[in-house]
Amino acid sequence: LDANCTATLPNYTPLATTGNNCGVQTVTQSPAAGTSVSGAGNMTVTLTVTNINGLTNTCTFTVTKVDNTPPAIVCKNTTVFIGNTGTYTLQPADVFNATASSDNCSGALTVTNIAPATVSCAQLNQTIPVMVTVQDGSGNTATCMAQITVQEGSALPIGWSSNNIGNANGAAGYKACSSNGTFAVSANGFSTSSSDVLHFTSQQLCGNGEIIARVATVSGGGWGGVMIRENLMPGAKKVTLKTPLTSVVRREIRLVTNGAASILNFNRPQHVWLRLVRSGSTFTGYTSLNGTTWSFAFSATVSMAGCVQVGVFAESINANTTTTATFSNVSVNGFSNNGLTNGLPDIQMVAEQDEEVRIFPNPTTGEVTIDLDIHAGKPGTIQVFNALGALTIQERLVAGNPETHRLNLGGPAGVYTVVIQLDDRRIVRRVVVDPNGGK
C-alpha cells in the first residue's frame, strides 16, 4: 500500500498451473488485475480456469495488503503539575496531539512509549524534552519530541483534608518540592464568641501521636500553628500552639465542648518550630529554634475521643483581613495506644542506638543498605513511611536471606521512617533522603 493506503492488484493468473484433457481456453482473476484496493489487511483472490468446452474450476488464495508507511505525528508543548508525592507520571494526552496527527490507512494511533515517563522536583520550573513513540494499527512507529514545562501543583497529600472551622472562607494547598513539602493555609473572619473561626488542614490520628511543623511565614497579621482537636466543629475540644512570627507563641486549650479556650502566651523569639504530643489524655507542647532541640512549653490533661484531627491552621485577626500561613517540615507520627493506631510505627518503644541493625548511608540520595547483623535470616517485613505518615514501601524478609538488604527509598527529599518487623522484634530507624546529595 502506498502513502494513500491504496495499491493496484497485480496479475496473478501466471501463478495457476492448469491442465485439461480437451485443452484450456482461459484463466481469469477476480478481482481483476489492475483493480485499485485499499485498507490494510487480507483479501481473497479467485482464479478461474475454463476449458474449450466451457467447463470451469477455481482456486482461491489470500493476498495481504501491507501498510508499511509510518504515521505522521505531532507532539504537544504543554505544562504539567507535580503532585503531592513529588512526582508526576506523563499521560499520552500530555505529550501527543492526536487531532493533528494522521495515518495513511486511518488506523488507530497508540502512544507506546514516553521518555522520560515521569517528572519530579528535580525538573521543577524547567522545560524538558520528552521523546514520544507512536504506533499505528499495522505496527509502524514514528517519534516526535514534546516540550514539557514542569510546575508544582497544590493538591493535599493523601489522607489530608482542608476544612473551614466556622465561617473562615479559607483554603489550603500543598507543594511537595520545597522544605520537605510546604503547606499554605489561608483564612479570614473572626469570632467574638468561644467558637473557632480558622482554616484547618488535617488528617485523622487514632491513639497517641505527635505533630511537628515549622511556621515559615504568616501574613495578614494573624496566626499560624499546629493543633489537635476532637472534631471539626467550631466548639470542639482542642489543644493548640500558634504564632504570628513575632516573639510570641500562644497556647490555647478548650477543655469542654463549646467552652471558652484557656490562653497562655510565651515569650520565645525565633521559635518557629512547634510540636504537640498526645499520650492518652495528656497533651504536651514544645517549641524550638531549629527543630532539633525542643523547649518545654506546657502540659495539660484534656479528655478527647480515641480518634482526633491533627494538623496545621491559619487564623485571621478580623473579618476583613485574610491571613496566610505557610508550614514546612510537617510530620505526623502515630504511637501505639492499646490497639488504637493510625498505622504508623511505634517510635517510642525502640532505641535508635541498636548497633545490631544499621542503615547506611544516612543521609542518602535514595538507596540504602540495611545491615541486619544477628537478625539475618529471620522472616519479617520492612515498611517505609514518609514524613506525612503515608506507607510508601512494603517488602517481605524471607527466612534465610543474607544479612544485608538493599532498599531504594525514592521519593522527594525528607525524613523517612523505616520499620523492620522481625518475628521477635520491631526496629525503627529514621533516614534522611536528599536526592540532590546536599547540593
Side-chain angles (χ1 to χ4, degrees), residues 137-178:
S138 298
N140 302 301
T141 62
T143 61
C144 60
M145 193 72 71
Q147 299 294 325
I148 302 300
T149 301
V150 183
Q151 294 185 2
E152 201 164 13
S154 60
L156 294 175
I158 295 173
W160 288 71
S161 62
S162 179
N163 309 284
N164 281 314
I165 307 297
N167 188 27
N169 299 313
Y174 176 77
K175 295 185 180 299
C177 293
S178 58

Side-chain angles (χ1 to χ4, degrees), residues 258-311:
N258 297 322
S262 168
I263 297 174
L264 179 63
N265 289 338
F266 305 94
N267 184 30
R268 301 210 172 163
Q270 300 179 20
H271 278 234
V272 297
W273 288 80
L274 306 177
R275 179 184 180 190
L276 291 176
V277 180
R278 180 194 190 184
S279 179
S281 296
T282 301
F283 294 81
T284 308
Y286 303 87
T287 66
S288 175
L289 294 167
N290 54 22
T292 302
T293 303
W294 293 94
S295 300
F296 173 82
F298 72 92
S299 182
T301 300
V302 185
S303 178
M304 290 193 194
C307 293
V308 294
Q309 291 291 318
V310 55

Side-chain angles (χ1 to χ4, degrees), residues 40-334:
N42 296 332
M43 64 178 292
T44 299
V45 174
T46 301
L47 299 182
T48 301
V49 59
T50 305
N51 73 359
I52 59 175
N53 293 313
L55 300 175
T56 63
N57 205 348
T58 62
C59 67
T60 61
F61 55 94
T62 298
V63 173
T64 301
K65 298 172 290 178
V66 178
D67 169 23
N68 55 16
T69 302
I73 64 172
V74 178
C75 277
K76 281 185 179 180
N77 299 330
T78 190
T79 298
V80 298
F81 295 89
I82 292 174
N84 50 39
T85 62
T87 61
Y88 178 80
T89 299
L90 293 169
Q91 303 300 311
D94 297 326
V95 296
F96 176 55
N97 190 333
T99 303
S101 301
S102 62
D103 181 61
N104 64 320
C105 286
S106 302
L109 300 180
T110 304
V111 176
T112 58
N113 191 54
I114 301 173
T118 62
V119 293
S120 67
C121 296
Q123 290 89 37
L124 183 63
N125 298 323
Q126 300 177 29
T127 299
I128 63 170
V130 175
M131 180 70 74
V132 183
T133 303
V134 177
Q135 178 176 287
D136 67 14
S138 298
N140 302 301
T141 62
T143 61
C144 60
M145 193 72 71
Q147 299 294 325
I148 302 300
T149 301
V150 183
Q151 294 185 2
E152 201 164 13
S154 60
L156 294 175
I158 295 173
W160 288 71
S161 62
S162 179
N163 309 284
N164 281 314
I165 307 297
N167 188 27
N169 299 313
Y174 176 77
K175 295 185 180 299
C177 293
S178 58
S179 301
N180 300 332
T182 299
F183 288 88
V185 187
S186 62
N188 60 27
F190 183 74
S191 175
T192 57
S193 67
S194 59
S195 297
D196 297 326
V197 176
L198 52 89
H199 196 82
F200 187 37
T201 302
S202 66
Q203 65 171 269
Q204 186 181 68
L205 172 69
C206 293
N208 295 333
E210 68 176 1
I211 179 169
I212 299 172
R214 176 180 176 269
V215 186
T217 64
V218 178
S219 65
W223 302 82
V226 295
M227 177 165 51
I228 300 175
R229 62 188 298 127
E230 191 168 45
N231 54 55
L232 300 176
M233 299 302 294
K237 299 174 187 178
K238 69 173 183 178
V239 177
T240 296
L241 267 178
K242 63 184 184 181
T243 177
L245 286 185
T246 61
S247 61
V248 175
V249 175
R250 175 175 291 182
R251 178 225 71 187
E252 291 187 359
I253 300 173
R254 181 180 290 121
L255 294 173
V256 296
T257 302
N258 297 322
S262 168
I263 297 174
L264 179 63
N265 289 338
F266 305 94
N267 184 30
R268 301 210 172 163
Q270 300 179 20
H271 278 234
V272 297
W273 288 80
L274 306 177
R275 179 184 180 190
L276 291 176
V277 180
R278 180 194 190 184
S279 179
S281 296
T282 301
F283 294 81
T284 308
Y286 303 87
T287 66
S288 175
L289 294 167
N290 54 22
T292 302
T293 303
W294 293 94
S295 300
F296 173 82
F298 72 92
S299 182
T301 300
V302 185
S303 178
M304 290 193 194
C307 293
V308 294
Q309 291 291 318
V310 55
V312 294
F313 72 94
E315 184 179 18
S316 181
I317 56 174
N318 62 60
N320 300 314
T321 302
T322 297
T323 291
T324 299
T326 61
F327 305 87
S328 64
N329 302 88
V330 177
S331 64
V332 175
N333 300 305

Side-chain angles (χ1 to χ4, degrees), residues 16-32:
T17 300
T18 62
N20 183 261
N21 60 328
C22 293
V24 171
Q25 182 175 356
T26 60
V27 178
T28 59
Q29 172 182 321
S30 177

